[in-house]
Amino acid sequence: MGPLGDGTDDTGEAFGTDGMRRGRVPQDHRSPRVSTEGRLLPAGPVEEEDDRFADVVAQILDRNPEHRIHPTLDRVREACGLLGDPQLAYRVVHLAGTNGKTSTARMVERLVREHDLRTGRFTSPHLVDITERISIDGEPITHAAFVRAWDDVEPVVTIVDERAAERGEPRLSFFEVLTLMAFAAFADTPVDVAVVETGLGGTWDTTNVVQPDVAVVTPVSMDHETWLGSTLEEIAGQKAGIIKHGSTVVLGKQEEEAGAVLLAKAAAERVTVVREGFDFGVEERALAVGGQQVSLRTRGGLYSDVFLPLHGAHQAENAAVALSTAEALLALPGGTLSPGLVEAAFADASSPGRLEVLRTSPLILADAAHNPAGAQALAAAIAEAFTLSRLVGVVAVMADKDVEGVLQALEPVLAEVVVTRSSSTRGMEPSELAELAEDVFGEDRVHVVERLDEAIATAVDLAEAEAGAGGGIGGSGAGVVVAGSVVLAGDARALLGKGKQ
């Protein structure tokens, strides 16, 4: 097997210096060029481009990951100023929250794009390829465009790094540099609207130099306590940092403690607030082939019988948040969006790594759930959307997460669990994870397999060994779900041949 990777991203996730998620199998996407007759050809522009991309990624990876927080926006503001403040060149939807940010961001972008507007989307972390983080018009930028974005910001990055060193401060981090690259790429395109997801928290998040037209906070729950605080109120306080005067605020469904903090910040900033459960929500939903049929109520009106090719009540709620966000951005006050445009946008919605079908025979699913709330939503969605007589989990979790909470949420839907490791350096050791899993599942339902490829194969064998006929998408009633971290979902996608999204 090849190396797991030689760098980490903003969450400490391992991937190679070519920017590709390593998964658990050897990868070499820079194979020699071969003619139609089978002869090797000399290196050409494609190889040179790939070499340059790998070099740029390596330079960026050499910087501090995002979780080494230096709580200030001064350096990023300084860099943006030297670049001409590209983040102010377009309208912005800014998203924070614990769960649902990326799915909601993708749906917002798709709704905006359906209105013939050029879009930029900045999300994190990536699943397979680092360029997924920066998308233009719904597509990840090319490796060449990634290099151009670096070339645009590199002189400024050097200046800010040198000034920071004189003050005894660290260089711009990996995530700070990527954020600058996204802002510059969006301005260079130029886009009409940028949909920007926070990396961690809100107040001190690098992206919080934008001036949002709409600020969105998806459901807040316990996660990243080491950096954001040990209570729901403290975490919500960090998320509330994106709420600024002059914006409209869209709030997903919140626990009472988090909601109170967010509403207090909105009142202090004197902004209009649109709240799920009060101003908008899911009126009806029903299972449909490949997803669900939903009716969504907003301030503007009711959008009935909209097909959403995503599974689970949580995705219907994400769709309601996205629709209210797009309405706040694009519609006249009190008005609605064109039902036809809304239907077309949602019908084309996707969220890779979120209850994604990677294979159908047998059924193999991947989900990025990495905290108890996300795992609960996953378990509920699987029970609702898939008819399976036997489901086996493949699980790897970051050591700093509420591992027991994740396992307890998944236990009711899993017959057995195979614990393994992802390509992240922050992942819990499989032996330690197995001990915790045995407390939740019982020793006879827990298996330890170090390598992900072998873990999935073991899970398939376990699922098919006792599964009845019929049922799931694969027709055998057997299924496997890979879950526990974003990194693991990305590793599984890479392993099973899914490209960047």
Side-chain angles (χ1 to χ4, degrees):
M1 300 296 288
L4 297 186
D6 31 359
T8 58
D9 72 358
D10 52 300
T11 53
E13 299 161 9
F15 53 93
T17 54
D18 56 5
M20 300 293 287
R21 180 78 65 202
R22 277 292 173 250
R24 300 290 295 169
V25 292
Q27 298 184 31
D28 182 4
H29 75 291
R30 293 187 291 142
S31 302
R33 296 172 67 217
V34 181
S35 72
T36 55
E37 292 81 19
R39 294 191 297 270
L40 289 178
L41 297 174
V46 174
E47 284 71 25
E48 293 172 4
E49 178 182 299
D50 282 347
D51 286 341
R52 183 75 205 290
F53 172 74
D55 180 62
V56 167
V57 171
Q59 291 182 61
I60 298 171
L61 285 175
D62 191 45
R63 297 172 175 273
N64 281 343
E66 185 194 22
H67 63 270
R68 295 182 192 170
I69 292 176
H70 188 68
T72 178
L73 295 176
D74 291 345
R75 292 173 306 162
V76 176
R77 287 198 178 104
E78 180 182 12
C80 285
L82 291 171
L83 289 168
D85 284 320
Q87 80 281 9
L88 304 180
Y90 31 78
R91 303 176 75 185
V92 173
V93 174
H94 200 192
L95 298 97
T98 305
N99 291 308
K101 293 192 301 294
T102 298
S103 293
T104 303
R106 292 179 69 94
M107 285 188 261
V108 170
E109 185 278 331
R110 189 63 191 85
L111 284 161
V112 173
R113 181 159 40 97
E114 193 65 29
H115 287 77
D116 290 329
L117 296 172
R118 300 210 68 185
T119 60
R121 186 183 70 228
F122 182 57
T123 57
S124 61
H126 63 277
L127 289 167
V128 176
D129 189 308
I130 194 171
T131 60
E132 295 168 22
R133 295 166 178 257
I134 305 173
S135 292
I136 304 290
D137 297 330
E139 295 293 332
I141 61 174
T142 64
H143 287 184
F146 188 90
V147 170
R148 287 197 298 272
W150 164 252
D151 288 341
D152 286 344
V153 305
E154 191 272 336
V156 165
V157 168
T158 299
I159 292 171
V160 174
D161 282 347
E162 290 173 350
R163 292 176 179 176
E166 291 172 359
R167 298 190 297 267
E169 297 177 358
R171 298 186 302 165
L172 288 166
S173 71
F174 166 90
F175 190 71
E176 287 173 321
V177 170
L178 279 180
T179 302
L180 293 172
M181 290 170 61
F183 290 161
F186 296 161
D188 186 59
T189 298
V191 303
D192 300 301
V193 177
V195 180
V196 178
E197 176 189 328
T198 56
L200 184 67
T203 300
W204 302 116
D205 188 76
T206 302
T207 64
N208 204 27
V209 295
V210 300
Q211 182 56 51
D213 294 82
V214 184
V216 182
V217 183
T218 63
V220 175
S221 60
M222 300 301 295
D223 201 3
H224 298 298
E225 292 95 329
T226 302
W227 303 285
L228 302 182
S230 58
T231 69
L232 202 56
E233 291 89 344
E234 289 175 331
I235 294 172
Q238 288 295 317
K239 311 289 187 182
I242 72 167
I243 297 174
K244 300 172 185 174
H245 183 69
S247 63
T248 297
V249 175
V250 178
L251 298 181
K253 191 178 294 182
Q254 304 293 342
E255 297 290 340
E256 184 177 351
E257 303 93 325
V261 172
L262 296 168
L263 289 173
K265 179 62 184 300
E269 295 293 332
R270 303 191 307 277
V271 297
T272 299
V273 179
V274 185
R275 300 168 64 191
E276 183 178 2
F278 296 87
D279 302 297
F280 70 91
V282 180
E283 285 288 296
E284 295 179 345
R285 51 184 296 270
L287 293 181
V289 176
Q292 55 190 308
Q293 205 79 14
V294 298
S295 292
L296 307 175
R297 176 180 52 83
T298 67
R299 277 185 153 185
L302 181 66
Y303 300 79
S304 300
D305 299 323
V306 177
F307 176 66
L308 180 68
L310 301 170
H311 300 290
H314 63 295
Q315 291 291 17
E317 292 175 351
N318 290 338
V321 173
L323 181 55
S324 288
T325 299
E327 203 174 74
L329 181 74
L330 302 174
L332 295 173
T336 62
L337 302 177
S338 163
L341 295 181
V342 169
E343 291 172 7
F346 277 129
D348 191 46
S350 65
S351 193
R354 277 72 181 177
L355 200 48
E356 181 181 14
V357 176
L358 301 184
R359 187 169 293 175
T360 58
S361 185
L363 178 67
I364 300 178
L365 305 165
D367 194 273
H370 56 275
N371 55 44
Q376 289 165 11
L378 168 61
I382 289 174
E384 175 187 77
F386 298 92
T387 305
L388 296 167
S389 59
R390 187 171 175 81
L391 180 68
V392 176
V394 175
V395 176
V397 188
M398 300 297 177
D400 59 359
K401 298 295 183 181
D402 181 358
V403 178
E404 187 174 4
V406 171
L407 293 170
Q408 288 174 338
L410 294 176
E411 189 276 334
V413 298
L414 298 182
E416 299 183 65
V417 62
V418 181
V419 299
T420 187
R421 69 170 75 246
S422 71
S423 59
S424 173
T425 56
R426 286 172 51 218
M428 178 174 284
E429 283 296 316
S431 58
E432 185 179 353
L433 178 56
E435 291 182 10
L436 295 175
E438 287 172 3
D439 290 339
V440 175
F441 288 81
E443 185 176 352
D444 60 331
R445 296 168 62 195
V446 178
H447 309 266
V448 182
V449 181
E450 288 272 337
R451 282 178 25 168
L452 179 58
D453 55 346
E454 295 178 354
I456 292 176
T458 298
V460 168
D461 289 343
L462 290 169
E464 292 187 324
E466 299 182 30
I473 289 179
S476 69
V480 170
V481 59
V482 182
S485 79
V486 179
V487 187
L488 186 67
D491 290 345
R493 293 186 89 256
L495 185 66
L496 296 177
K498 294 287 186 177
K500 67 180 182 179
Q501 297 288 334

